[in-house]
Amino acid sequence: MTDKQVVLGAACWTLAIAFFVDQAIVQAATTLPYSLSGNLISDLGITVCGPFTNGGYHADVCSPLHGLMDGTFVVVGLLQVIGAITTRKAWPLPHAYPGLAFLAAGGVGLALAGLAPENVNLSLHGNAASLGIDAVNIGMIILGAALLRVNPWLGTITLFAGIIGIVGAIIFFHSLGGIPIGTAERIAVYPSLAMVVVLGMYLLWKTTRTAHDAEKAAPVR
């Protein structure tokens, strides 16, 4: 029998691909030039058209589908939390528990960032986004280390994604290396969030395959 709880969590993580799909849709709808290297992801969630300034960062933003972007932050964050809670049976324990906790914390941060667009509550948005970025990357490093014991290739990829994300976060938050701010943020965010989707797909495949093998091996009555 398939573990329905694990399947639910794995499906939630797989659906987190909406972060990338919706972002592309919202970006395509912007009515002012938007640059992947020069603009922040959060600019797509700004609720009004016009100039936005945060310290030394200045952008002219007009995102008609800002509601979709902010809603995506909230939904994907919640999917991340649900997945972290419901897939715990599928992980090599106890080594993975802290990683799942960090992933859940990262999901909370992402959801809060969506509820507080940067032009509405910059302080809350910034702190929530920082939590979302740092926590998910730390979580991936812990999960990757735990996976190395049972699935070396997947553990290596997961660990690598977390490490790249941490390096990206350091560059992004401290403006290092002359890397454009949008590029630095995406290095910090994309690898680990993409890995959430990959892990969801892997757990779906593994859980359904295990259930199928168990049914084949069961004695006929």
Side-chain angles (χ1 to χ4, degrees), residues 32 46 48-53 58-61 119:
L32 287 175
I46 288 180
V48 295
C49 292
F52 173 77
T53 299
H58 305 278
D60 287 314
V61 181
N119 68 304

Side-chain angles (χ1 to χ4, degrees), residues 6-8 10-11 14 199-209:
V6 173
V7 169
L8 169 64
T14 302
L199 290 175
M201 296 172 65
Y202 170 76
L203 288 175
L204 276 177
W205 169 78
K206 180 182 177 183
T207 305
T208 53
R209 177 184 152 184

Side-chain angles (χ1 to χ4, degrees), residues 15-212:
L15 289 172
I17 197 172
F19 180 87
F20 300 98
V21 175
D22 292 354
Q23 190 178 142
I25 293 171
V26 176
Q27 180 184 334
T30 56
T31 56
L32 287 175
Y34 181 90
S35 166
L36 289 174
S37 62
N39 281 97
L40 299 174
I41 299 170
S42 295
D43 290 350
L44 295 172
I46 288 180
T47 60
V48 295
C49 292
F52 173 77
T53 299
N54 176 15
Y57 176 72
H58 305 278
D60 287 314
V61 181
C62 193
S63 179
L65 297 183
H66 58 82
L68 175 59
M69 194 71 257
D70 291 327
T72 298
F73 290 153
V74 174
V75 171
V76 171
L78 293 176
L79 289 172
Q80 194 170 305
V81 173
I82 295 170
I85 295 171
T86 55
T87 63
R88 63 188 184 279
K89 293 180 182 177
W91 293 91
L93 303 176
H95 308 93
Y97 270 174
L100 294 174
F102 272 105
L103 248 63
V108 171
L110 182 59
L112 287 174
L115 291 172
E118 59 183 348
N119 68 304
V120 174
N121 190 332
L122 180 58
S123 177
L124 177 56
H125 181 89
N127 289 328
S130 296
L131 172 63
I133 293 171
D134 291 339
V136 71
N137 286 321
I138 294 171
M140 283 301 168
I141 289 173
I142 296 172
L143 291 180
L147 279 170
L148 287 174
R149 303 164 182 259
V150 294
N151 193 322
W153 72 267
L154 186 61
T156 300
I157 296 172
T158 306
L159 187 61
F160 192 52
I163 291 172
I164 291 175
I166 287 292
V167 172
I170 293 171
I171 294 171
F172 173 58
F173 290 123
H174 298 283
S175 302
L176 301 177
I179 295 176
I181 190 169
T183 300
E185 184 187 30
R186 285 165 173 81
I187 295 172
V189 172
Y190 283 2
S192 285
L193 274 181
M195 204 64 220
V196 169
V197 179
V198 171
L199 290 175
M201 296 172 65
Y202 170 76
L203 288 175
L204 276 177
W205 169 78
K206 180 182 177 183
T207 305
T208 53
R209 177 184 152 184
T210 300
H212 178 69

Side-chain angles (χ1 to χ4, degrees), residues 1-16:
M1 174 182 266
T2 305
D3 190 320
K4 293 181 180 179
Q5 195 175 54
V6 173
V7 169
L8 169 64
C12 285
W13 278 357
T14 302
L15 289 172

